[in-house]
Amino acid sequence: MHHTPESMSALRRVGDELADATVETLFERGEVGRFNTLMRYVSTVGQELPEGLPDVAHEYLRATAAPPSWVDWGEMERARLFFIDNNVHVSTALAFSAMPACYVIPHVARLLSATHGLEYPSRRMAETGQFTVYLMQPDAFEAGSRFVPAVQKVRLLHASIRYHMRREGLWDEEALGTPICQEDMIGGLMIFSIQVLDALHRLGVHMSAEGAASYFYAWRVVGEMLGISPGQAPADLEEARLFSDQYMTRYMGPSEEGARLTRQLIDLYEEVVPGTLLDPAVAALIRYLVGDTCADWLQVPRSAWDTAVKASPALLGVLETVEDRSPLGAWALDRLGHLTTHLELSSLTRGRVMQYAVPEQLRKEYGLTSTGSRSHRWVPPPPAFPS
Amino acid sequence: MSDPVLIAAGAADLVVEGVGTALRRAGALLGRSDLAALARDGREELRQRGSLALRRHAPTTESHLELLARRAASRGSGPGDV
């Protein structure tokens, strides 16, 4: 759907009717505690729902169990292949670019800051990582999958944040619109989809046009399952560029909350990086990906590493050449990639079990190496500034 | 660009050219007495190789967010400007 500033402003007044109504009823009837306790044990599709689950929750879980009817499964399969090919890079882009990009929208930073407190970045990063991993499982939408229940829970979580922010008067609805409104949900979708592709490009990762389009497509499916009204999200990368750029330029700027969340995020990553020698590289990579203006708004510290990190896409380019020309090099880089992703996620989730065997499984099942697609390179469209 | 980065890039580039050649060179090295000087030369060669390889792959674009942020800043957008 093509959006104008006016149509985007209209989206600020709209939340997520189904999830909001469910949460409101649960709170009204005092059934939230029971719901949470019972749902803790529901983590896979096809699992029998526990006895005693409130009716309204039953109804919500039934209504939200299916993916949108328009899903093209071939496209979803291509998205998975894209993810397999780029899993380390996608994780890096999510961690070092998408998270800070959320903080550069002051009202989003305010909401995140108000709802989660100190532990926030690590939890959200771990949850986002886990969410992406669940999505990229070959059976993400089938019986036994953890993805659909995760979506259903996140959607209710968002609704409960709306409920609390309003009730406790933590949100100036007159000025800021509905908390986690449709515009912010689509904006978030842009941050995790097209803006991740922008970051991959900045990292020097070569992408095929097909791969980039399918990665975006998968997030569009997720967006609708998370409560974005059908037909409201941009339909393709071209529309996404337009929405993303309009949304960001409308709101982006400095804020105290944004700077504080960024500090917490950097501290978290520095904990994950072994030793202290490489610590400044974390801030440098964030600065490289989001650019100096955003980095200054978020008070990302400067260091000598800023220059060194600029070489990373070039190094990546050299390494990709190695991968393409030498089977031994390809194997070594693949192992390195696997280890890096595993390290990132397991450190972030503090040792909780992560089902990270997906890519291996797909490669075995389909006998895929998918290196050929790199030749047709996708490059992000230039900025689409509103006139 | 700092030396370690250049040397790493040079080393990677060397792999591209073929480990075989390097191994043959290393074999020939064992019989020589001026190893220290050779090591210095080798390091210099890697540095130069790295510099060239990085130039070949260097990105030419700005961060997309940077372009947007400059635009937002010039329009006077800021916190609370919803």
Side-chain angles (χ1 to χ4, degrees), chain A residues 12 106-107 175-176 202 241 245 249-252 254 288-293 297 311 314-315 317-318 321-322 325 383 385-386, chain B residues 1 5 9 12-13 15-16 53-54 57-59 61-73 77-82:
Chain A
R12 290 217 72 74
H107 67 267
L176 302 169
R202 181 91 173 125
R241 173 85 299 150
D245 291 359
T249 48
R250 264 183 126 184
Y251 302 121
M252 68 199 306
Y288 175 76
L289 287 175
V290 304
D292 277 333
T293 307
W297 283 342
L315 274 177
V318 176
T321 322
V322 175
R325 291 199 201 168
F385 292 132
Chain B
M1 205 60 68
V5 174
D13 191 51
V15 177
V16 178
L54 289 183
H57 293 279
T61 51
E62 274 279 13
S63 150
H64 192 85
L65 274 182
E66 174 62 21
L67 300 174
L68 300 184
R70 281 185 205 154
R71 168 83 176 189
S77 176
D81 188 21
V82 175

Side-chain angles (χ1 to χ4, degrees), chain A residues 31-51:
Chain A
E31 294 175 325
V32 176
R34 188 149 56 99
F35 172 79
N36 279 337
T37 311
L38 292 171
M39 282 308 285
R40 192 172 297 170
Y41 303 102
V42 178
S43 58
T44 56
V45 172
Q47 203 178 331
E48 206 171 308
L49 292 175
E51 270 181 44

Side-chain angles (χ1 to χ4, degrees), chain A residues 99 119-134 265 268-269 344-352 354:
Chain A
M99 292 285 281
E119 269 203 344
Y120 175 69
S122 68
R123 221 180 93 190
R124 181 153 177 260
M125 191 59 230
E127 283 167 358
T128 309
Q130 183 165 301
F131 193 82
T132 316
V133 170
Y134 286 166
L265 189 72
L268 166 78
Y269 292 156
E344 264 179 27
L345 271 170
S346 59
S347 322
L348 287 170
T349 54
R350 304 266 187 257
R352 268 178 284 153
M354 301 299 302

Side-chain angles (χ1 to χ4, degrees), chain A residues 202-256:
Chain A
R202 181 91 173 125
L203 284 167
V205 174
H206 294 193
M207 293 167 273
S208 68
E210 190 188 61
S214 57
Y215 177 79
F216 174 74
Y217 185 89
W219 275 105
R220 192 157 71 90
V221 172
V222 174
E224 194 163 314
M225 292 180 77
L226 279 175
I228 293 176
S229 306
Q232 289 295 337
D236 52 30
L237 281 168
E238 216 171 294
E239 285 185 15
R241 173 85 299 150
L242 212 60
F243 190 101
S244 180
D245 291 359
Q246 287 195 57
Y247 177 77
M248 295 307 287
T249 48
R250 264 183 126 184
Y251 302 121
M252 68 199 306
S255 70
E256 257 177 56

Side-chain angles (χ1 to χ4, degrees), chain A residues 1-124:
Chain A
M1 160 142 189
H2 177 73
H3 279 284
T4 60
E6 293 71 35
S7 70
M8 288 168 78
S9 294
L11 293 175
R12 290 217 72 74
R13 304 281 153 203
V14 189
D16 174 359
E17 212 177 311
L18 173 63
D20 289 346
T22 307
V23 163
E24 210 156 298
T25 311
L26 285 174
F27 274 107
E28 268 171 20
R29 298 184 184 163
E31 294 175 325
V32 176
R34 188 149 56 99
F35 172 79
N36 279 337
T37 311
L38 292 171
M39 282 308 285
R40 192 172 297 170
Y41 303 102
V42 178
S43 58
T44 56
V45 172
Q47 203 178 331
E48 206 171 308
L49 292 175
E51 270 181 44
L53 200 65
D55 287 348
V56 63
H58 258 293
E59 183 49 35
Y60 166 81
L61 293 171
R62 195 196 54 74
T64 54
S69 57
W70 48 265
V71 173
D72 174 343
W73 296 104
E75 197 73 52
M76 293 300 279
E77 199 53 47
R78 283 190 283 279
R80 256 201 293 278
L81 297 182
F82 178 84
F83 184 75
I84 290 168
D85 231 11
N86 297 292
N87 62 353
V88 182
H89 308 321
V90 170
S91 304
T92 305
L94 283 172
F96 295 92
S97 182
M99 292 285 281
C102 296
Y103 304 157
V104 99
I105 308 290
H107 67 267
V108 172
R110 204 173 306 159
L111 182 130
L112 295 174
S113 198
T115 51
H116 286 274
L118 282 174
E119 269 203 344
Y120 175 69
S122 68
R123 221 180 93 190
R124 181 153 177 260

